[in-house]
Amino acid sequence: QLQLVESGGGLVQPGGSLRLSCTASASTAGFYAIGWFRQAPGKEREGVSCYGSSDGVTYYADSVKGRFTISRDNAKNTVYLQMNSLKPEDTGVYYCSAGFLVSGQRLCNIPNAVDTWGQGTLVTVSS
């Protein structure tokens, strides 16, 4: 079973930046979509950014478009989420996720598309 471990969360001031990392136990290239969800207290988990390795298409939620960037280092089996211009409403637990033979758009928007979850890393944006 594929395993995902994410890291990089922490406390950052509004307008600051963080980079989250998600390392997979095996390569996801070609077969998996991989991406990031987040969940704020009292809110539903939402798809933030997901990449489909099968088609090379990246999905971004409207709330993060232009501020967040997802990228990969295939040699390290690692995906990153670069978060810039952070806002207090970006606060939450961020989860790495993967889905087998699905697109990035589907992974981020269809809950049943997620096969594997990371443990989560907390991002707090506050002054």
Side-chain angles (χ1 to χ4, degrees):
Q1 183 178 1
L2 185 71
Q3 295 180 340
L4 304 172
V5 179
E6 61 262 68
S7 62
L11 175 64
V12 64
Q13 292 184 334
S17 299
L18 284 174
R19 189 176 75 162
L20 306 183
S21 299
C22 172
T23 299
S25 60
S27 175
T28 60
F31 295 100
Y32 284 88
I34 190 164
W36 295 92
F37 285 68
R38 68 185 181 189
Q39 188 167 24
K43 296 183 179 180
E44 295 182 352
R45 189 173 298 186
E46 63 174 341
V48 175
S49 181
C50 296
Y51 174 80
S53 62
S54 61
D55 59 10
V57 176
T58 300
Y59 167 86
Y60 292 99
D62 288 341
S63 59
V64 307
K65 194 172 298 181
R67 299 187 298 119
F68 290 11
T69 303
I70 192 170
S71 61
R72 297 176 299 153
D73 185 337
N74 288 332
K76 298 180 179 180
N77 291 333
T78 299
V79 64
Y80 305 96
L81 185 67
Q82 179 66 47
M83 305 185 295
N84 298 326
S85 302
L86 283 162
K87 305 174 181 179
E89 51 263 44
D90 294 318
T91 294
V93 178
Y94 283 69
Y95 298 89
C96 188
S97 64
F100 186 65
L101 296 180
V102 299
S103 68
Q105 181 173 343
R106 188 170 182 86
L107 183 72
C108 262
N109 290 281
I110 306 298
N112 288 342
V114 177
D115 298 319
T116 305
W117 294 98
Q119 82 285 355
T121 185
L122 178 63
V123 173
T124 303
V125 184
S126 176
S127 60

